[in-house]
Amino acid sequence: MSQHVFRTTDRVGQLVTVTLGYDRPLDYVFCTVFRGGEEDSPLYTNLDDEDAGTHLQEVSYYRSVLEGLGIDVPETMFAEVESDQANVVGNRFVDHTK
């Protein structure tokens, strides 16, 4: 599984952690958003999204999801997850937070 993480604030200034990635064993892309740390309940998870679930193959789908939550992430996250998916990459972790 590849994981690309970005810590930022949403439109109301709350700290959020976004994880976008590719799950190689199950062959799907995923996205989770947690307020604060990962010990909190998720604000969003693809597993609770009927349009995404574990069948979604389009990384770009999550642009509108994140925009709807008021969260901007670096474009490199989308590009690198697309590359991970195309190259069937697993066991990769990248922190995009600067």
Side-chain angles (χ1 to χ4, degrees):
M1 167 183 312
S2 74
Q3 296 182 52
H4 296 263
V5 175
F6 185 66
R7 291 169 198 82
T8 189
T9 54
D10 63 12
R11 67 176 145 240
V12 296
Q14 295 287 324
L15 181 64
V16 293
T17 301
V18 177
T19 304
L20 187 63
Y22 171 68
D23 188 309
R24 181 174 58 182
L26 298 178
D27 189 31
Y28 73 95
V29 292
F30 64 89
C31 181
T32 60
V33 180
F34 287 87
R35 186 169 313 284
E38 290 194 16
E39 64 278 354
D40 297 328
S41 296
L43 293 174
Y44 173 84
T45 174
N46 59 284
L47 298 177
D48 292 337
D49 184 340
E50 290 182 13
D51 294 325
T54 59
H55 60 274
L56 182 71
Q57 295 298 323
E58 297 298 321
V59 177
S60 61
Y61 171 82
Y62 296 113
R63 275 190 187 89
S64 62
V65 169
L66 295 170
E67 287 172 4
L69 294 169
I71 300 168
D72 293 318
V73 300
E75 187 59 33
T76 56
M77 284 183 72
F78 295 104
E80 290 191 34
V81 172
E82 286 174 345
S83 176
D84 291 349
Q85 181 183 28
N87 294 300
V88 194
V89 171
N91 300 325
R92 181 172 184 225
F93 178 85
V94 180
D95 190 337
H96 293 265
T97 308
K98 302 266 178 187

